[in-house]
Amino acid sequence: MPSPAHTLAPPSPGAPPIAPQFEEGTTLDRFLLETLRGYPEATGQFVTLVNQVTLAAKLVSARVNRAGLAGMFGATGTMNIQGEYVQKMDVYANETFKRALEHAGVLCMIISEEEDDAIPIPPQFPTGKYVFAMDPLDGSSNIDTNASIGTIFAVFRRMSESGQGQPQDVLRSGRDIVAAGYIVYGAGTVLVLSTGRGVHGFTLDPTVGEFFLSHHDIRLTPDTRTYSCNEAYTGTWDPRLVGWLAGTKDPALGWSARYIGSLVGDFHRNLVKGGVFLYPPSKKAPNGKLRLLYEAFPLAFLAEQAGGAATDGVGPILDRTLASLHERTPLYIGNKNAVDAITRVLST
Ligand code: AHM
Ligand code: MG
C-alpha cells in the first residue's frame, strides 16, 4: 500500500519500536540509518537527500567562515522577489544547494526564497519523490557582522505521480511536511533535523567534515521567560500584542529579551535555551515579513516536534495551506504556554 504523502514512511510490518541509545561520536548518517531502519521506504532517496543537504551545508559553512577573506561580504546590487537586496552569500548558498540537490534523483522540484518560480529538475537528471523548499541563507544581511545565519528547509513527499513536480506538490498544508530542518552557521555549524520523530541536532566537526550528534531529542519546556522580537516596531503592532509585551516588563516575572534579527539564529537560541519569537504584522509588513513555505512551516514543524507551538496569531501555522510560493505570515513560535498566551490575547 502506498504510504500517505504526509508521513515519511510507515514502519515495515512487525518492525520493533526504535529507541536506540546513541553513543558519543554518532554521525548523522549512522543516526539516520538506525532511526529509519524500520522504515524501509524512508531510507534510499531520503538518506541521499540528507547527504546532499549536508554536502551543500559544508560548502556554505566553509564559505561563510572565509567570507571576509573571499570577498563575499555585502550586497550584489540587485533585489529579489521579496524586494530585498540580494547578498553575495545569498547567491552562493542558493547555487550551492541547487547544484548539490538537483542531480541526485530524489527531488521533483526545488523552491527557493531567491527565485520567483519553482525550480524544475534539469532534464538531464532523473526526478525523485520529494519536494524541497528552502531559504538558502536566512539572515544574510547579518553576514558582515559575523552574527549567526542559516539555511532553512522543508521536505514534502510529492503528490503527482512522476516527472517534474506540479503546483499541487507544493501548494498544500503544513501538515504534509515529512521532514524539516535548518543549518545554523554560527560559532559552530549545527544541523537541526526532524523526520517527525523528535528534533535532533548535529554539529559539524570541520576537521573531519562530518556532522556528529550533539543535541539528542531537543525539548521545549512549556514555559519560558525570554522573548525575541524587533521591539522598535511596536508602534504599528496590534495594541493587544503590545499590551502582552508590556506585561512581560513586570520585574517580578523575570522576563528577558534576546534578538539577533536572524530568524534561524533567534529560533536556534530559543530552541536550545527556551524563548518565544514574535514577528507580527506591522505597518511596513501588513501580512508579516516571514515566508510561510520555507521559514514558518519548517520551524513550526520543528517547534511542534520539540513540544512547542507556532501560530500566525489565529491558529497553528501547520494548519495553513500554502496559496502562493512566497506567501508571508505573521509568526509566533516557541515554548507552548507563551505562544498560547499570545494567541489568546490576539483572539479577544
Ligand atoms: P531574509 O530571509 O531576507 O534574511 O529576511 C528575514 C529576516 C529574518 O531572518 C529575521 O527574523 C527578520 O528578517 C528580521 O527582520 P527585522 O530586521 O525587520 O527585524
Ligand atoms: Mg529568511
Side-chain angles (χ1 to χ4, degrees):
M1 200 175 66
S3 53
H6 57 279
T7 57
L8 186 56
S12 51
I18 300 170
Q21 298 300 310
F22 293 100
E23 55 194 50
E24 209 177 303
T26 298
T27 61
L28 170 60
D29 217 34
R30 175 174 170 192
F31 181 88
L32 284 178
L33 290 175
E34 291 192 3
T35 53
L36 297 175
R37 189 168 284 145
Y39 296 70
E41 261 204 62
T43 47
Q45 286 200 20
F46 184 73
V47 172
T48 303
L49 171 57
V50 175
N51 284 338
Q52 294 309 111
V53 167
T54 59
L55 168 63
K58 286 180 228 174
L59 290 166
V60 173
S61 172
R63 188 61 70 99
V64 165
N65 288 342
R66 296 187 62 253
L69 300 173
M72 296 299 282
F73 279 167
T76 58
T78 55
M79 268 187 176
N80 66 12
I81 174 94
Q82 325 284 342
E84 291 149 0
Y85 284 106
V86 176
Q87 308 291 312
K88 291 178 193 166
M89 274 303 304
D90 283 326
V91 176
Y92 179 79
N94 188 45
E95 290 303 317
T96 302
F97 272 88
K98 272 193 326 186
R99 293 291 95 85
L101 292 165
E102 66 188 2
H103 67 86
V106 298
L107 299 180
C108 64
M109 182 194 257
I110 299 170
I111 295 94
S112 167
E113 180 191 315
E114 294 303 324
E115 307 215 12
D116 303 8
D117 301 317
I119 305 158
I121 302 303
Q124 65 271 34
F125 301 128
T127 54
K129 64 184 176 192
Y130 295 108
V131 174
F132 190 84
M134 65 173 172
D135 180 349
L137 204 59
D138 177 65
S140 55
S141 61
N142 283 314
I143 178 128
D144 299 7
T145 65
N146 269 23
S148 291
I149 53 181
T151 303
I152 312 174
F153 61 90
V155 180
F156 295 87
R157 184 191 297 276
R158 72 183 304 163
M159 303 287 282
S160 55
E161 285 294 314
S162 58
Q164 296 290 341
Q166 303 297 319
Q168 75 263 26
D169 292 317
V170 67
L171 298 179
R172 56 204 289 193
S173 164
R175 298 281 169 207
D176 286 351
I177 288 175
V178 295
Y182 60 81
I183 302 110
V184 61
Y185 312 104
T189 293
V190 179
L191 167 71
V192 173
L193 180 70
S194 178
T195 59
R197 308 172 79 211
V199 179
H200 312 284
F202 304 83
T203 300
L204 176 65
D205 181 342
T207 60
V208 291
E210 275 284 358
F211 281 92
F212 291 95
L213 183 65
S214 51
H215 303 65
H216 184 232
D217 198 16
I218 305 170
R219 303 298 301 165
L220 276 166
T221 56
D223 276 319
T224 183
R225 287 285 183 273
T226 301
Y227 68 81
S228 309
C229 64
N230 193 333
E231 213 158 345
Y233 298 158
T234 50
T236 62
W237 285 5
D238 186 314
R240 294 169 297 182
L241 191 60
V242 179
W244 177 84
L245 200 56
T248 65
K249 305 290 160 52
D250 177 349
L253 298 177
W255 280 79
S256 179
R258 290 287 181 273
Y259 190 68
I260 299 169
S262 157
L263 174 63
V264 68
D266 283 307
F267 181 82
H268 185 64
R269 201 216 78 88
N270 290 347
L271 187 65
V272 173
K273 297 219 165 194
V276 61
F277 174 94
L278 299 78
Y279 207 112
S282 64
K283 193 172 173 196
K284 206 165 107 190
N287 298 316
K289 177 183 181 189
L290 301 171
R291 277 53 57 111
L292 185 58
L293 174 59
Y294 39 77
E295 292 181 319
F297 268 174
L299 298 187
F301 185 82
L302 294 169
E304 286 198 7
Q305 282 293 318
T311 78
D312 59 5
V314 179
I317 287 283
L318 292 178
D319 287 351
R320 296 264 300 264
T321 295
L322 191 74
S324 63
L325 294 184
H326 301 287
E327 186 177 347
R328 293 177 192 264
T329 180
L331 180 63
Y332 310 94
I333 187 166
N335 302 68
K336 192 165 185 331
N337 289 348
V339 173
D340 287 350
I342 291 169
T343 313
R344 256 195 321 275
V345 155
L346 288 172
S347 64
T348 51

